Amino acid sequence: VAALERDFATLRDSTLEQTRQGRSLADMLAKVQTEQSDARAAAASASSVAGAALALSAIEAAARQGRPFEADYRALRAALPTVDAVRALGPLAVSGAPTLGDLKDDFRTASETARKAAPAEASGQWGWVNKFFGGAVTVRKADGTDEDPFALISRAGEALEEGDLEGAVAYTARLDGAPAAAMSGWTEAAKRRISLETSLEAVRLALADGGAVTP
């Protein structure tokens, strides 16, 4: 009986040791698999960020020339499918957005048409001056609270020359009637440019977070 008990104890200890070794081996395998999975995820994230950076660079180059960027947008969307700023570029990818230089050139023609469309009485007692001289001379309020079309167009032009596109749009958006209709095409084009610049900046910030922006 004593010999059987010793053999049983030896068998039990051996079984427990094998069980511990088996668990240890299983734990090691699980750890290796986890590390491999993490490494693959990190590599995929780095690849996505690199692809996004290349696509963004191509889009920025196209944007500087006012060209569309549909193919590069698809590449950027594939690399960063969860970033809202990327999706915001979608409506702009097919046709692009005019450059600031283009908008300055187009503003001259549009503003001239808008001034001609504005009735002289729209700017009160000095309306005839604004109407007669067009863009050469404009009577405006010193405090900047103008509401007449001549002054609004004049202030929009000044903001545009200073590179303040949002400020220029803020003035043209306050126009109404015939002057607003004459400036509507320019205003929408300027809004497209603003949207493009805003979205591109948001994508740049997203890329600065590295893998945090990738799925």
Side-chain angles (χ1 to χ4, degrees), residues 8 24 28 31 36 50 54 64 80 86 96 98 103 122 140 154 175 182 185 190 193 196 199 207 211:
F8 177 77
S24 177
M28 290 177 61
K31 183 179 180 181
Q36 289 178 339
L54 288 173
R64 286 192 292 270
L80 302 176
V86 174
L103 289 169
R140 305 184 311 191
S154 177
L175 294 169
R193 186 70 203 184
L196 175 59
S199 298
L207 277 177

Side-chain angles (χ1 to χ4, degrees), residues 4 16 21 27 48 53 59 106 116-117 119 122 125 129 152 158 160 176 189 212:
L4 287 173
L16 290 174
Q21 291 179 355
D27 292 342
S48 294
I59 291 173
D106 295 342
K116 290 178 179 178
Q125 62 176 332
V129 176
L152 291 174
E158 289 179 354
L160 184 60
D176 57 16

Side-chain angles (χ1 to χ4, degrees), residues 92 97-98 103 164-170 186-201:
L92 302 167
L103 289 169
D164 183 8
L165 189 56
E166 292 187 6
V169 169
W186 183 90
T187 300
E188 290 305 313
K191 287 180 179 179
R192 287 176 64 82
R193 186 70 203 184
I194 293 171
S195 177
L196 175 59
E197 294 292 348
T198 301
S199 298
L200 287 176
E201 179 61 21

